[in-house]
Amino acid sequence: MTVVDVRNLTVAVGDREIVSGVSFALVAGEVTALVGESGSGKTTTASALLGRRPTGACVTGRVEVAGVAVDADHPPAPGLVGYIPQHPSAALNPVRRIGPVLHEIARLHVRADTRGDRRRLVRERVLEALRQAQLPDGVKLLRRYPHQLSGGQQQRVVLAHELVGRPRVMVADEPTTGQDAVTRGRLIEELRAVAGQGIAVLLLTHDLGLVRALAHRVLVMNDGSVVESGPCQQVLDSPQHSYTRRLIDAQPAPSAQPRPAATGRPLLTVRRVTAGHGRVDTLHEITMDIHPGDKVAVVGRSGSGKTTLARCIAGLHPHRGGEIRLAGRTLSPRLHRRSRDQLARIQYVFQDARASFSEFVPVLDQIARTAERLRGATSSAARSQAIEALARLGVPESSARRLPRSLSGGELQRAALVRALLSGPDLLICDEITSGLDTLTQADLLGVLDQLHQDTGCALVVITHDLAVAAHLANRLVIMHVGKIAEQGRTAELIEAGDLTGSRLVGFP
């Protein structure tokens, strides 16, 4: 049964059409994947199902949900369309417990005239939503705050928020962003269970592996238009449009030639490092070496300690035991106690490039300041270096002179790389910087990292949950599990011993 019918949807802002003549239908109990690179129009299209539109946009065409026309002036009835955001923590109130929020939502959907039965019905509705969201023991979570939940639990709680309303349609916006393979597998089960309840699911994603595992049908968007659609297997195995073939071909693959392992004196040594949050240790006596020109990927499940280790190396998270040495000299656990030279030699590129820039200062000024502060360059020399480096990575000066909000995510990620490289680092740490990128942008960024490594010779540490990215980029793997190094060695040897989807590299039994 058709639950959503979209006909000739066009969304224009000024003279520019963000979405152009899009038509599709969503069927109860089926998952439809909407794929395409950033800026292709996926989110704008999905937002139309919720009656939302960009500020100042003109919307034409027709959107029907459960047989009723929907637009900005007539949004769908409360609870009819559920929405799971890309970052579930953003949908949870950090100062409210899980239970009261769920009960408050449920009361909105239980009729007021049920009188004495209302409290019982609200509780039943909450428990039903928890079960449907794959949280059968969810009652234990009701007294917790969001920060006391894992990322996977937060995501399932947000799903329960939406299921309380008994929706006919569920929109999932990039739900696997930043998720390790195990959490991703659980999410597949959750969304499959949602569709199994007769709910039509619209999945917005860059993850073609997720699409293949979950979707019944695929819509491929490019520049605001649907360029190809059809059954999942047909579209992914026999793509007809050149853009679809580009998306599929851009998925990272293991490097054909294994890179030689670095030898000689290490650039950085980590010895028996222990760190944690509060009184709880999350890193346990970590020991590893990074050599000049090394390319190391640190992989593992969410919560395994990958980012904590990287932040300890950079001085962003103080370790409380062990020692970290750079070129033979001990580094202070605290950033403000490191010398300017030490700060320059280790640079960190964050997962959320947009959040790492001040929204009130032009991007070029922020980049140039790195060379001024850490290398003592004059203002004019620093700006010239920044402009030249940005141009090499495809970011024009005209874009760099704007505020961060005027640049795309890909441009800001390149700008963040340039900002780090202007200090002339010996070690560059990249924390999940390919997470959430479409396959084309991701492939482009991996090429940029490869080229930067060749041009500068600096050692590279990549924190990632994506084993395909690690296999493509790194000569060495460090596999982490519950705050310890479970295994480390040459990438080619570890992959040969246990394939990319095997439990040895993913599940850590």
Side-chain angles (χ1 to χ4, degrees):
M1 180 177 66
T2 299
V3 182
V4 172
D5 189 22
V6 177
R7 288 286 174 264
N8 199 33
L9 176 67
T10 299
V11 182
V13 178
D15 296 331
R16 176 171 170 257
E17 287 190 351
I18 303 173
V19 174
S20 304
V22 168
S23 298
F24 63 91
L26 301 183
V27 177
E30 288 193 358
V31 178
T32 300
L34 194 55
V35 303
E37 63 188 304
S38 299
S40 60
K42 302 190 303 296
T43 298
T44 303
T45 299
S47 296
L49 275 59
L50 298 160
R52 300 173 184 168
R53 63 184 180 191
T55 303
C58 175
V59 180
T60 58
R62 185 172 179 84
V63 177
E64 288 187 2
V65 179
V68 179
V70 168
D71 57 35
D73 297 321
H74 305 88
L80 185 63
V81 181
Y83 178 77
I84 306 172
Q86 181 171 343
H87 301 289
S89 59
L92 299 172
N93 189 327
V95 299
R96 296 196 64 190
R97 298 181 193 270
I98 300 303
V101 174
L102 271 171
H103 282 82
E104 186 175 303
I105 295 172
R107 281 193 291 272
L108 296 175
H109 297 286
V110 173
R111 291 176 57 184
D113 59 6
T114 52
R115 293 187 177 87
D117 287 336
R118 192 178 186 206
R119 180 176 296 180
R120 176 181 58 81
L121 292 173
V122 165
R123 181 170 176 78
E124 289 177 355
R125 183 76 72 99
V126 167
L127 294 177
E128 177 190 20
L130 290 172
R131 287 193 299 270
Q132 291 176 328
Q134 306 290 297
L135 281 169
D137 58 347
V139 174
K140 300 177 182 178
L141 306 179
L142 294 180
R143 291 191 57 78
R144 296 186 188 177
Y145 291 96
H147 72 271
Q148 295 174 314
L149 306 180
S150 70
Q153 288 173 324
Q154 288 182 353
Q155 195 164 52
R156 290 192 286 278
V157 168
V158 171
L159 177 57
H161 283 186
E162 303 305 312
L163 291 172
V164 162
R166 295 177 177 169
R168 301 284 302 280
V169 183
M170 185 71 71
V171 178
D173 189 356
E174 295 290 356
T176 57
T177 295
Q179 302 286 11
D180 62 82
V182 173
T183 306
R184 177 177 172 275
R186 289 174 181 160
L187 177 70
I188 290 173
E189 295 176 7
E190 293 158 19
L191 291 179
R192 187 175 287 137
V194 168
Q197 297 160 29
I199 298 171
V201 178
L202 180 61
L203 174 66
L204 280 62
T205 185
H206 298 131
D207 186 345
L208 296 185
L210 176 66
V211 172
R212 191 178 291 276
L214 190 60
H216 298 87
R217 295 186 60 80
V218 179
L219 303 171
V220 182
M221 290 195 71
N222 180 32
D223 197 23
S225 300
V226 173
V227 297
E228 187 165 359
S229 64
C232 178
Q233 186 172 354
Q234 174 185 310
V235 172
L236 296 186
D237 290 346
S238 303
Q240 300 301 304
H241 197 279
S242 59
Y243 179 76
T244 309
R245 291 194 291 271
R246 284 177 57 209
L247 282 179
I248 295 170
D249 292 344
Q251 296 176 95
S255 177
Q257 297 296 326
R259 299 175 177 86
T263 57
R265 182 181 179 185
L267 168 68
L268 185 114
T269 58
V270 178
R271 293 291 179 266
R272 301 178 68 86
V273 164
T274 298
H277 301 270
R279 297 183 178 181
V280 179
D281 287 342
T282 52
L283 285 184
H284 307 279
E285 297 194 338
I286 300 295
T287 293
M288 62 181 289
D289 293 333
I290 299 171
H291 291 81
D294 222 344
K295 297 177 81 173
V296 180
V298 183
V299 302
R301 295 175 58 178
S302 299
S304 61
K306 304 186 302 294
T307 294
T308 302
L309 173 59
R311 292 173 67 86
C312 285
I313 292 172
L316 299 172
H317 186 101
H319 57 278
R320 52 187 172 222
E323 183 181 57
I324 300 175
R325 298 173 69 90
L326 176 65
R329 297 187 61 182
T330 301
L331 293 171
S332 170
R334 300 187 179 277
L335 189 69
H336 68 273
R337 292 180 181 172
R338 296 187 181 185
S339 68
R340 186 167 69 173
D341 179 66
Q342 290 172 337
L343 294 176
R345 294 178 72 179
I346 300 178
Q347 287 289 296
Y348 198 101
V349 182
F350 295 88
Q351 176 179 351
D352 188 347
R354 194 171 299 278
S356 72
F357 284 92
S358 168
E359 59 180 310
F360 305 110
V361 180
V363 170
L364 180 59
D365 294 346
Q366 297 184 60
I367 293 173
R369 184 156 175 75
T370 298
E372 294 179 48
R373 292 181 64 249
L374 297 181
R375 287 302 182 198
T378 64
S379 178
S380 59
R383 290 175 72 83
S384 296
Q385 293 170 23
I387 290 169
E388 182 181 348
L390 286 165
R392 285 200 301 270
L393 297 191
V395 181
E397 181 181 351
S398 58
S399 294
R401 290 185 180 278
R402 301 173 186 167
L403 295 175
R405 63 173 175 267
S406 300
L407 277 68
S408 69
E411 287 176 322
L412 282 176
Q413 198 63 269
R414 287 170 173 75
L417 284 169
V418 170
R419 179 175 58 185
L421 291 169
L422 281 193
S423 74
D426 295 323
L427 174 62
L428 181 66
I429 301 173
C430 298
D431 189 357
E432 294 281 14
I433 66 171
T434 62
S435 177
L437 298 179
D438 62 82
T439 55
L440 293 177
T441 306
Q442 183 186 78
D444 191 33
L445 186 59
L446 290 176
V448 166
L449 284 175
D450 259 327
Q451 190 61 50
L452 289 175
H453 181 262
Q454 293 177 29
D455 292 345
T456 65
C458 71
L460 185 65
V461 172
V462 177
I463 309 299
T464 182
H465 69 280
D466 191 331
L467 288 165
V469 169
H472 173 86
L473 196 62
N475 64 303
R476 285 203 304 122
L477 281 181
V478 173
I479 304 172
M480 297 196 65
H481 179 51
V482 292
K484 299 178 180 179
I485 293 180
E487 198 163 2
Q488 59 179 314
R490 294 182 60 176
T491 303
E493 293 172 357
L494 290 179
I495 291 173
E496 185 178 351
D499 65 40
L500 287 179
T501 57
S503 63
R504 183 166 182 265
L505 292 185
V506 176
F508 304 108

